[in-house]
Amino acid sequence: MDALLTALADPARWRLVSLLAERPRSVGVLAQLAEARQPQTTKHLQTLERAGVVTSQRTGQRRIYALRSTPLRDLADALGGLADAADRAGGPHTTYDRYGLSLQAERLAAQESGWADGRSFGFLRSLTGTPELVWRHLTDTALLARWWTPDDLRVSELVFEARRGGRIVHEYRDAEDTDGSEPVAGRAEGVVDDVRPRERLAYRLSPLFPDGGLAFTAHVDLDLRPTETGTDLDVHWRITDSTVDSADFVAGIEIGFGQSLDKLAAALSSDSRDTPPTDFTDIADLAGSHATDSTNSTDTGSTK
């Protein structure tokens, strides 16, 4: 396939392929129709023949070339498969397009400092698992690292001190940047405001610019309510201290955090199937025991 693509990439060779698609032709005729010299035309045809897209045979004093359709059909199928993958409904390209539209809108709105102050976002998920299990996934860094970033990102540094006044650090990279050679995709720092094990968690978190400046402050409240089938998680975001340059971050909140919550739901569903119920006698102590953990386990511009 590589040889075929290389052969077809040259405009002169593509012209010859187009002429041979009409009917087999001799080298001399092809050179005349392509308005090229015969030695040059011969070299191009030899390249196409090595790539398997044309074949030739000698007839008397002439060499006749003909097009082979099978390699072209194989290439067409491969290109069609790529196009189908890109057009797959609900796939990564759909998310990319959604983010692009949101990005344009937020950049137009970001005209002065404070432009997004008071903006809020709400998320509600009915989760499998008891409030105890959900609480662990919200406060235990080893479990947080499994879901606290959108698709295509991974956690590179994570600190979550599950106590009032506790420190939060959330740094993330591209999921495919396995050796850390690319720049950090994002970093956020914050502080825990309220901890009521199994019931409520509140914190402030600010995404940082590369120079360390704050883009905005997100006030995040998470309320847990037990249900017959598990736990309802109600999340409310409120923005303050927004800067003009924070538009790219704000544009990714709804999409990015929604993806993260979907990953949380999947993780809880898996844990509920594979792990027997655990009796947590002191949830606060359990969360605190993981408060200073860091894990190398990430964002489309949004921070949770």
Side-chain angles (χ1 to χ4, degrees):
M1 189 70 72
D2 289 345
L4 176 60
L5 289 171
T6 300
L8 296 177
D10 186 283
R13 290 195 286 269
W14 182 257
R15 171 63 175 155
L16 295 174
V17 168
S18 300
L19 291 169
L20 289 173
E22 297 172 355
R23 61 184 174 87
R25 286 180 161 123
S26 67
V27 177
V29 170
L30 287 168
Q32 293 177 33
L33 294 174
E35 298 180 347
R37 293 182 301 168
Q38 186 163 323
Q40 184 181 36
T41 300
T42 298
K43 290 183 179 180
H44 283 317
L45 289 168
Q46 290 172 343
T47 298
L48 291 168
E49 190 165 18
R50 286 194 297 270
V53 72
V54 303
T55 185
S56 69
Q57 60 185 14
R58 181 170 293 280
T59 302
Q61 298 300 313
R62 300 189 306 159
R63 179 168 290 277
I64 307 299
Y65 281 85
L67 189 66
R68 295 182 66 240
S69 62
T70 299
L72 294 177
R73 294 189 187 281
D74 291 342
L75 177 59
D77 289 342
L79 294 175
L82 294 176
D84 290 343
D87 289 341
R88 187 173 68 252
H93 287 80
T94 301
T95 301
Y96 178 85
D97 291 340
R98 284 179 57 205
Y99 178 63
L101 293 173
S102 179
L103 197 59
Q104 293 177 25
E106 300 297 358
R107 285 176 175 174
L108 288 173
Q111 299 297 318
E112 58 185 4
S113 297
W115 68 277
D117 289 5
R119 288 273 298 276
S120 62
F121 302 85
F123 306 86
L124 178 63
R125 292 291 190 280
S126 294
L127 303 172
T128 302
T130 64
E132 289 87 351
L133 183 59
V134 174
W135 182 263
R136 283 194 61 196
H137 281 74
L138 296 178
T139 57
D140 182 326
T141 54
L143 297 175
L144 266 172
R146 295 171 58 187
W147 69 269
W148 206 24
T149 53
D151 297 339
D152 304 324
L153 298 167
R154 66 175 178 86
V155 169
S156 53
E157 182 182 352
L158 182 58
V159 176
F160 197 100
E161 298 176 348
R163 55 177 173 78
R164 188 169 297 179
R167 187 169 64 107
I168 304 173
V169 176
H170 183 201
E171 183 181 276
Y172 35 89
R173 295 179 177 272
D174 190 293
E176 296 177 335
D177 176 24
T178 56
D179 62 0
S181 59
E182 291 293 311
V184 171
R187 181 180 177 90
E189 297 180 2
V191 62
V192 176
D193 289 325
D194 192 17
V195 176
R196 281 183 260 164
R198 298 170 293 176
E199 296 180 4
R200 185 172 187 270
L201 178 66
Y203 56 82
R204 285 166 285 150
L205 195 61
S206 297
L208 305 181
F209 293 118
D211 64 1
L214 272 60
F216 65 87
T217 300
H219 302 256
V220 187
D221 296 329
L222 303 94
D223 292 303
L224 292 74
R225 296 188 300 274
T227 66
E228 292 183 359
T229 57
T231 305
D232 278 351
L233 179 64
D234 193 357
V235 185
H236 184 263
W237 276 62
R238 180 173 57 86
I239 293 176
T240 62
D241 310 318
S242 55
T243 63
V244 173
D245 294 331
S246 66
D248 292 10
F249 292 96
V250 174
I253 292 174
E254 189 166 13
I255 296 172
F257 196 67
Q259 288 182 342
S260 294
L261 290 178
D262 291 341
K263 292 169 67 174
L264 171 61
L268 284 164
S269 179
S270 176
D271 287 353
S272 296
R273 289 194 305 268
D274 300 337
T275 305
T278 302
D279 180 19
F280 298 107
T281 56
D282 191 338
I283 302 298
D285 286 345
L286 177 63
S289 70
H290 297 279
T292 59
D293 288 351
S294 293
T295 184
N296 294 323
S297 69
T298 127
D299 203 24
T300 54
S302 70
T303 301
K304 281 61 65 200

